[in-house]
Structures are given as structure tokens and as C-alpha cells.
Amino acid sequence: MKGVNDYTKEEGHKKLTFATICQSLYLTSTFYFENDMISYASTCAFGFLFSFIPVVMMILVISIRILGANADTIAAMISSNTAIDTFFKSVNTIIKTNPAISDNFTIEKTTESIKSISSITNFEIIIAIAIILMARRFFSSVMVSLSKVFRKEIKPRPVIQQFLTLGGEALLIIAVCALLVAITAFKTLVKLPLLQTFVSAHPSIFTSLSQAVSVFPYVLLFFAVTICYRIGSGTRPRIEIAAASSCGTTLTFFAFQKLMYLFINVNKYNIIYGALSGIIVLLMEVFFFFLIFLFFAQFLFVYQFFDTLILSQLYILPQRDDTSFLASLKRLLFIRPDALLHKEVYVKTFERGEYLYKEGESGDTAYYLARGTVAISRPNNISYIERGGFFGEEACLLDKTRHESARALTEIRVLIIPQEKFFALLDRNPLVSRKALSKISRYFSDALQSK
């Protein structure tokens, strides 16, 4: 059986054709719904909501006490994201119903309160530990979701997963603090007299810089998702593939946000739902982000193990006599495995009349017929295999010599599947195992009848 290190070799160059693109999207969508990624996206969104306040508290303490951020900088960061800004305004609306709380719950007073802490007591330490443990809910949900996507290819690593969860938490806090530093530096530079003169003379440059700062959160998101795909998956995809998947996630989420605020009147939404609107909008954005995030994670899985996944689909390809719509559609989609047919390691061509193997030879390979017709000769019968058929797997599975001969009736093109690769198909797909057991049962039944 192969391990993760062997499978990642499948991640090399793939021939990009229309059939390959359709097969990739079909496999990604199928696994996405089979793994119930929508429920996992909901879990991640709930984890985010549960961890949101603890993470914000840690960011505020680090930003104010260590980086020296002021109330204006924090307010600028909050207002840079429409959903988060709406969320904070909604929370503020709720708090205003209680004057005792609202008089003290402002960004300015919170900043001063944190700055006024002169010594750390045991109570603060306990609270800090509790906050860290609460914040782990979100990062733990993300790691569990990725484990679900890549579960067949990674070994359980509870200790490493805990470190990755804490690492994700630390990276998020560092990233947000870096954003605060960038905002602070930008605002400080803009206030310099020399730069004010330059800005007045070249307003377009200042506009471009402002737009660049507004894009910065998406840049941080891109790097965070790339690291998550690269390390959190546990299958070590190439960095450029992880980055490409991350780019797809970030751009799709960016487009979703623009479309959402284009078609949703947030102000009207606030009037209808009142103070809860900000929480609902933020939660909806987070939920859709994780729908997108997990879709591209599933696509990354399909890309990494595409060869084995395609071979599995070829083995369970519906027969020609199955004329149902779904069977016909699946046969049409997978009968031409372009990604494998362009790899010399799999493909071999035989002329008419040539033998692929003869009775008594070693049976350490299985075959998929991509073109032509093959005759299977047994002591008491002859059968014919046409395009889309698998054959020779019984001896391959049992590690026995061949009990039949296979001869090309026309010029043929076949995919040759080594024994260890075929065993990998059994491990990956229960339908493959079921069909293989059925073929072995028939194999022994024919052997007994021939005696």
C-alpha cells in the first residue's frame, strides 16, 4: 500500500483538457457533498462567532499594550470591513439599552482601560488562559474540517493538530496586529507636512494608496489560507498549488462580498432586523467564506490525488447496457481519461493480433481499455472487452498466474495499472472494493466449473 509521500507524486503536470476540467469539477462537487462540507462550514462559522470576542480581546491587548495603537487606529481597522463595522455598530446599539454599560463601553475608554493595567495578577492569568482556550474553538473547527477533506490520506496526528490550532490562532493575531501597524504607519505618514504637500499636488496617488490599504486584509487572507492549505491539509501540496487554491478562495470571496453588498441594502436590513443585523451579516459572510474555503480545499485534494481518483471512476464505470441518464452521463464524462492517456508510465499500444498477456504468465497488473477491442480466451469460453472495460484484475488482486489470455482484435490502447496502484483503489473507494470482490467470486466460480 502507498503512503502520503508516494501519492503526492501524482501532483505533477496534468494535461489540461475540457474533459479533465469537467472530471475535476465533478469529483470536487461529489466529494464536497459526500463529506457534508456545508455542515462543516456552519461549524466553522459558529466557531468563529464563539471565538470572535476572545480573539478580539487578545488583539486589543497586544495592539494597545505592546504596539501602542490608539483608539483612532483601532476604529479605522474596524471600519475597513463593512460586515465587522456593522457588527460592532449592532453590538453598540444593544449595549446602549443599558446606560451603565454603554457609558463605559467605547473604543476610547476600552483603550484607556487596557493601557491603565500596571501589573498582572493571578486572576488576569486565569482569564488569559480561558480566553486562549475559548479562541481555540474556531481554529479547531477549521482543522477538523480539513481533516474531513483529506482524511484518507493523512494519519491521525492529535498532538501536531493541537500545535497547528495554536499556531493558527497566533498567526491570525499577528496578522491583525500587522494590519494595525500598517494602518498606524500610513496615518502617521499622511500627517507629515511634506507628505501633505505631495498629496495635495498628486491626489490620484493618495487615492491609489488608500485603495491598496483597503486591499491589504485580502492579501493577509490569501497568505493565511495558503498556509492553511499547505500545512493544515497534512498532505504537503506544492506551495504553488496551495497558493493557486488560496487565490481562488480569496478572489471568489471578494466577488461574493461585492455582489452581496451590491444586491443587499444593508441599511434597510438594519431597519428590519435592528441590532441583530450586524451579527447576521457577519455570520453570513463567514459562513459563505468557509463554503468557498472548503470547496477549494476539496479541489486541492482532487488535484493531488487525481490519477488514483480517475482510476477508481474507470473501474466502477457503468456498463454500456445501463442506459439510465445518470449512468450514461457518468460514462460519457469518464470514459476518456485524458490526464492518464498523456502519461507514458500508464499507456501502451498493441497492434492487431498481439497478446497483452498469455495464460500462465504473472498477473501483477490490471488493464483499462481506452480504445479498440480485446478478446479474453479461457479454456471453455471467449469473451470480448470493448472501450471502457477493465480486465486482468483478478490475477492482479490474488497475486496468481493468469488463467486466461488477452489478445488485441484491433489496434488497441490500454492503461496499465500496477498491482500496488490497484490496491490503492480498493483502499480509497468502497464501490471499487465491492466490484473487485464480485469479480473474484466470479473468478473462483468459473475456475470450479472448468474442473
Side-chain angles (χ1 to χ4, degrees):
M1 301 293 288
K2 288 190 175 185
V4 173
N5 290 334
D6 297 310
Y7 283 130
T8 50
K9 294 175 183 177
E10 296 181 11
E11 208 183 334
H13 175 71
K14 292 176 173 56
K15 181 72 175 179
L16 190 64
T17 66
F18 179 72
T20 303
I21 293 171
C22 291
Q23 290 163 358
S24 300
L25 291 175
Y26 174 87
L27 290 171
T28 301
S29 302
T30 300
F31 288 128
Y32 187 80
F33 290 107
E34 281 182 0
N35 291 332
D36 195 17
M37 288 293 102
I38 295 176
S39 294
Y40 279 88
S42 300
T43 302
C44 290
F46 174 77
F48 174 84
L49 185 64
F50 186 82
S51 304
F52 184 75
I53 293 176
V55 170
V56 168
M57 288 177 68
M58 286 190 286
I59 290 170
L60 286 175
V61 171
I62 292 171
S63 302
I64 295 168
R65 286 184 62 81
I66 298 175
L67 301 177
N70 56 33
D72 291 339
T73 304
I74 294 168
M77 187 196 70
I78 292 171
S79 62
S80 65
N81 185 287
T82 309
I84 294 177
D85 187 36
T86 306
F87 171 78
F88 273 102
K89 286 178 180 176
S90 298
V91 171
N92 192 43
T93 303
I94 295 171
I95 289 171
K96 280 181 179 177
T97 59
N98 190 327
I101 299 176
S102 61
D103 290 342
N104 297 296
F105 192 83
T106 62
I107 293 176
E108 293 79 7
K109 290 190 177 182
T110 302
T111 304
E112 291 302 322
S113 223
I114 293 173
K115 283 183 177 179
S116 67
I117 299 173
S118 57
S119 61
I120 305 296
T121 65
N122 291 334
F123 178 74
E124 276 84 17
I125 293 172
I126 293 171
I127 292 296
I129 293 171
I131 288 171
I132 292 170
L133 292 175
M134 288 172 65
R136 289 181 66 258
R137 169 76 190 203
F138 166 60
F139 301 97
S140 179
S141 301
V142 175
M143 293 304 300
V144 168
S145 300
L146 288 174
S147 297
K148 179 68 174 178
V149 172
F150 294 91
R151 69 190 186 283
K152 289 186 180 294
E153 310 305 334
I154 57 176
K155 296 177 181 179
R157 306 173 300 166
V159 176
I160 294 176
Q161 189 165 342
Q162 294 301 320
F163 278 112
L164 289 174
T165 300
L166 291 172
E169 184 179 342
L171 280 174
L172 176 64
I173 292 167
I174 291 169
V176 176
C177 290
L179 180 60
L180 280 168
V181 170
I183 293 171
T184 304
F186 181 73
K187 292 183 71 175
T188 303
L189 287 172
V190 168
K191 290 179 181 178
L192 293 174
L194 181 62
L195 196 59
Q196 283 287 333
T197 306
F198 180 79
V199 168
S200 300
H202 304 87
S204 59
I205 295 177
F206 179 73
T207 304
S208 301
L209 286 172
S210 300
Q211 291 174 348
V213 171
S214 66
V215 173
F216 192 63
Y218 294 100
V219 176
L220 288 178
L221 181 65
F222 164 76
F223 283 111
V225 173
T226 301
I227 294 169
C228 202
Y229 285 158
R230 170 68 177 170
I231 300 175
S233 64
T235 57
R236 299 185 300 279
R238 298 203 317 271
I239 188 64
E240 59 268 29
I241 303 304
S245 299
S246 175
C247 184
T249 300
T250 307
L251 290 177
T252 306
F253 180 62
F254 176 79
F256 164 77
Q257 280 191 314
K258 295 301 178 185
L259 286 172
M260 186 181 76
Y261 285 102
L262 184 65
F263 291 103
I264 294 178
N265 187 331
V266 179
N267 293 327
K268 183 179 179 181
Y269 192 64
N270 290 342
I271 293 170
I272 297 172
Y273 292 99
L276 291 175
S277 63
I279 299 173
I280 295 170
V281 169
L282 178 63
L283 201 56
M284 182 173 66
E285 280 200 54
V286 173
F287 172 65
F288 274 95
F289 167 77
F290 279 107
L291 286 178
I292 297 164
F293 171 82
L294 292 175
F295 180 85
F296 280 96
Q298 195 69 76
F299 179 81
L300 182 61
F301 166 81
V302 169
Y303 182 90
Q304 278 191 274
F305 308 109
F306 190 70
D307 291 1
T308 305
L309 292 172
I310 286 293
L311 286 173
S312 297
Q313 294 299 320
L314 294 178
Y315 191 65
I316 58 175
L317 200 66
Q319 299 298 315
R320 290 183 64 179
D321 55 1
D322 188 347
T323 57
S324 65
F325 174 75
L326 290 177
S328 300
L329 183 64
K330 193 170 183 180
R331 186 175 174 84
L332 179 65
L333 181 62
F334 286 102
I335 198 168
R336 198 182 80 183
D338 289 351
L340 301 180
L341 292 174
H342 288 87
K343 293 187 176 182
E344 294 182 3
V345 67
Y346 288 115
V347 182
K348 191 170 182 180
T349 302
F350 291 87
E351 299 297 329
R352 180 181 179 183
E354 236 185 307
Y355 279 90
L356 286 76
Y357 56 81
K358 294 184 178 180
E359 185 178 353
E361 291 181 355
S362 173
D364 57 354
T365 54
Y367 297 85
Y368 170 78
L369 185 59
R371 185 180 69 206
T373 306
V374 170
I376 306 295
S377 303
R378 300 180 182 87
N380 56 351
N381 67 72
I382 297 176
S383 60
Y384 300 95
I385 306 294
E386 295 184 334
R387 182 190 180 200
F390 238 94
F391 59 97
E393 70 269 34
E394 298 94 343
C396 177
L397 282 168
L398 298 170
D399 200 18
K400 301 285 187 180
T401 55
R402 304 285 185 186
H403 285 201
E404 76 282 339
S405 300
R407 182 171 61 88
L409 291 183
T410 63
E411 181 185 342
I412 64 168
R413 197 178 188 194
V414 294
L415 296 177
I416 301 176
I417 299 95
Q419 189 177 53
E420 65 272 15
K421 193 73 166 179
F422 195 74
F423 283 142
L425 306 186
L426 302 177
D427 183 55
R428 181 182 302 279
N429 194 321
L431 295 177
V432 171
S433 302
R434 193 181 308 164
K435 183 174 180 180
L437 287 173
S438 174
K439 294 289 285 284
I440 291 173
S441 175
R442 201 176 309 130
Y443 172 83
F444 281 115
S445 177
D446 293 342
L448 288 172
Q449 289 177 7
S450 64
K451 291 184 179 180

